[in-house]
Amino acid sequence: MTLTTRVDEHLENLRSAEARLIQLLGGMDYCLDWKPEPSAWSARQVVYHLLETPEGGLHRVLWGILSGELKDLEIWADLDNLTPERMAYDIEQLREDIGEFFRGMTEALETATDDDLDAKAVLIHLRTRGREDERTLQMLLDGLFAHHWRSHLEQIGELRKSLGM
């Protein structure tokens, strides 16, 4: 009997989230920038918000915390992280960026232990919210990945419904 570790559970969550995101983007090649209303976000905006929050991506943050090089981190909420270059990307480039993110997350998590999840932490400066909190790797994976990604994947699902997909 193999015991499942929390790291294993996070790795499974990663695989599931990646598959879900790729599934949700299927058939959206022509409408990556469509919005149901001007204040809403497009699928492209949601994807780059997820891949680049926090700046540089959560995978880089995990590596920094695991290595001990990252002690504090600034997070600006609600940024779409679009650049002129990203606006020109086709669906294939989006998929490449998604793959790079998930490869980085997987590689970082595969070096972690369950003890690391609880013991290694970073001071988060939530600039938009005007708060500071210390967060462990476990807290970051629960909040910035599991919860944050789940809500935004639902957002892309709602965009698909609005498009009649």
Side-chain angles (χ1 to χ4, degrees):
M1 179 168 97
T2 304
L3 294 176
T4 301
T5 67
R6 285 183 293 148
V7 169
D8 292 334
E9 291 170 8
H10 287 299
L11 288 166
E12 181 55 37
N13 287 341
L14 282 174
R15 286 187 285 277
S16 176
E18 182 178 20
R20 180 71 176 136
L21 179 55
I22 295 302
Q23 175 195 24
L24 285 168
L25 292 175
M28 293 190 77
D29 310 44
Y30 70 96
C31 56
L32 289 172
D33 299 307
W34 179 84
K35 302 175 183 187
E37 58 187 56
S39 64
W41 278 15
S42 68
R44 183 189 310 269
Q45 286 174 294
V46 174
V47 168
Y48 282 105
H49 170 72
L50 289 171
L51 297 180
E52 288 288 325
T53 300
E55 184 179 351
L58 185 55
H59 57 301
R60 290 193 177 102
V61 170
L62 293 182
W63 278 117
I65 296 169
L66 286 165
S67 70
E69 294 176 13
L70 185 64
K71 301 294 182 198
D72 60 307
L73 173 68
E74 287 189 357
I75 296 181
W76 293 88
D78 307 322
L79 299 177
D80 65 16
N81 303 308
L82 285 183
T83 63
E85 294 81 19
R86 289 177 178 157
M87 286 299 298
Y89 290 168
D90 62 12
I91 192 75
E92 291 310 314
Q93 182 61 54
L94 232 65
R95 285 187 184 118
E96 284 181 37
D97 289 349
I98 291 165
E100 180 182 328
F101 172 86
F102 281 99
R103 279 187 300 280
M105 287 288 289
T106 299
E107 290 168 2
L109 272 173
E110 286 175 341
T111 70
T113 65
D114 281 0
D115 288 340
D116 289 336
L117 297 179
D118 296 322
K120 297 195 176 192
V122 65
L123 180 62
I124 304 280
H125 305 278
L126 300 161
R127 297 298 186 205
T128 314
R129 311 269 192 274
R131 292 189 352 238
E132 291 185 350
D133 292 311
E134 185 171 274
R135 305 251 175 107
T136 64
L137 281 173
Q138 181 67 42
M139 294 166 75
L140 287 172
L141 289 166
D142 287 342
L144 274 177
F145 186 74
H147 174 74
H148 185 232
W149 275 71
R150 188 177 316 114
S151 66
H152 284 299
L153 291 176
E154 290 173 10
Q155 185 179 6
I156 295 173
E158 290 301 315
L159 283 170
R160 288 182 63 85
K161 284 182 190 172
S162 294
L163 285 162
M165 300 177 99

